[in-house]
Amino acid sequence: MVSSLVSPFWGPQTSYLNFCEEDYVVTRYVGEFINTLSSFVYVIYGIYGLLQLHRNGRTGSRSITYCGLIGVGICSGGYHMTLKYHTQMSDELSMHLLTTPLLYRILTFQTTPQYTSMVRVLLSLLFTIVMVVHMVMDEFLLHAVTFGLAVYLIATRTLKLIPQQIPDPVTRKNIQSIAIFGCFSFVFGYIVWLIDDWACQYLTSTRHFIGLPWAFLLELHGWWHVFTAIGGYIAVALIDMITSGEVDKNSTKRLAWPLPAVARFVGTAK
């Protein structure tokens, strides 16, 4: 939402989406300060995942989805910082660059080479069509629908694989609880995203009333970043563990905060 009278370092906005956070209020170098800052939660989770892989001597293709999580954070931060059309496109492109490898990995788990090749071709074709149509025609609906469908397929397929691949009942319950927590985290993030849009005028007036720094807590699009980063990390980490066959009783302890606490809470609530 444009409100500042300062001269933006990045020039006038060219992106066709502008969220409720007031522009260039904190500094002329950052369009939406909290939305930019909160984007790096994705980066933190992605780096944590890469460090865990490196610590256990696991590299190669398993790092792709964690790099995708980092890419989402960098592209989202660049978009909210500059409010430019090309950075918005990179932000939306990065979302598919994360979900497409996740879909490929979970849809081709324990399948034949022929089926794996078919899925690879179909996902590559679908990704190309969606992004070309989206960028050439400024068609937002196709991007939103395909991203939502990808998230749904990832969540449902993961929840289906957990009881099939984890025989130990305690470990299975912990992993299931974390997966469900990730789904709720993503849904809650989407709800606050909607509230940020629908109640923008009320939120802005409330932020002006309470002042800084507490007003930052009402930047709800920033909370969308936080909660979807948690949900995205859970999806990446669980799919990596399940498809690599590395789920054990200590798996939840190796996950980033707050997931070990979630697993402990489930264990004490039995």
Side-chain angles (χ1 to χ4, degrees):
M1 185 175 67
V2 179
S3 64
S4 177
L5 298 178
V6 302
S7 174
F9 175 80
W10 304 101
Q13 172 195 342
T14 57
S15 62
Y16 59 74
L17 289 178
N18 193 349
F19 298 96
C20 188
E21 182 175 0
E22 295 178 274
D23 301 345
Y24 296 101
V25 170
V26 176
T27 170
R28 66 184 292 261
Y29 298 99
V30 179
E32 297 172 346
F33 184 81
I34 294 299
N35 289 349
T36 301
L37 187 65
S38 60
S39 296
F40 289 94
V41 177
Y42 300 101
V43 178
I44 293 171
Y45 276 118
I47 291 174
Y48 179 89
L50 289 178
L51 290 175
Q52 285 294 103
L53 287 180
H54 180 73
R55 185 175 295 116
N56 294 290
R58 308 289 190 266
T59 55
S61 61
R62 289 180 59 179
S63 65
I64 291 175
T65 48
Y66 288 108
C67 290
L69 202 58
I70 294 172
V72 169
I74 293 174
C75 293
S76 174
Y79 165 38
H80 291 290
M81 180 173 66
T82 63
L83 299 175
K84 292 296 185 179
Y85 177 79
H86 64 277
T87 54
Q88 179 186 337
M89 289 296 105
S90 71
D91 177 35
E92 292 165 356
L93 172 65
S94 71
M95 296 162 69
H96 294 279
L97 286 173
L98 172 61
T99 56
T100 302
L102 281 175
L103 274 176
Y104 173 76
R105 189 163 180 181
I106 202 165
L107 291 178
T108 59
F109 178 57
Q110 294 183 337
T111 59
T112 64
Q114 294 80 6
Y115 183 83
T116 298
S117 298
M118 182 186 68
V119 171
R120 183 187 302 118
V121 171
L122 288 177
L123 286 177
S124 300
L125 183 61
L126 181 61
F127 172 83
T128 303
I129 291 173
V130 169
M131 294 319 302
V132 168
V133 170
H134 178 53
M135 289 186 288
V136 172
M137 301 178 61
D138 289 342
E139 211 289 317
F140 182 77
L141 183 61
L142 180 63
H143 154 70
V145 170
T146 51
F147 175 72
L149 180 60
V151 170
Y152 173 78
L153 289 173
I154 290 167
T156 54
R157 181 62 178 162
T158 302
L159 289 170
K160 184 178 180 180
L161 281 178
I162 289 172
Q164 295 175 356
Q165 300 299 320
I166 307 176
D168 179 67
V170 175
T171 303
R172 181 170 63 246
K173 182 173 182 178
N174 289 340
I175 296 296
Q176 284 176 327
S177 299
I178 288 174
I180 292 171
F181 178 78
C183 293
F184 277 108
S185 180
F186 205 98
V187 170
F188 185 75
Y190 181 61
I191 290 172
V192 297
W193 187 92
L194 292 176
I195 295 173
D196 185 67
D197 182 42
W198 294 341
C200 181
Q201 186 174 355
Y202 173 77
L203 289 169
T204 301
S205 61
T206 304
R207 288 196 294 263
H208 288 171
F209 176 76
I210 64 177
L212 298 175
W214 301 110
F216 285 149
L217 296 176
L218 294 179
E219 299 291 357
L220 299 189
H221 191 82
W223 287 110
W224 147 264
H225 291 157
V226 172
F227 287 109
T228 54
I230 293 172
Y233 168 73
I234 290 172
V236 171
L238 293 191
I239 290 173
D240 180 57
M241 287 193 302
I242 292 170
T243 58
S244 62
E246 294 184 356
V247 180
D248 55 46
K249 63 181 181 180
N250 295 316
S251 294
T252 56
K253 297 178 182 178
R254 296 192 293 267
L255 297 174
W257 184 91
L259 305 183
V262 172
R264 285 195 301 269
F265 176 79
V266 172
T268 58
K270 289 189 295 183

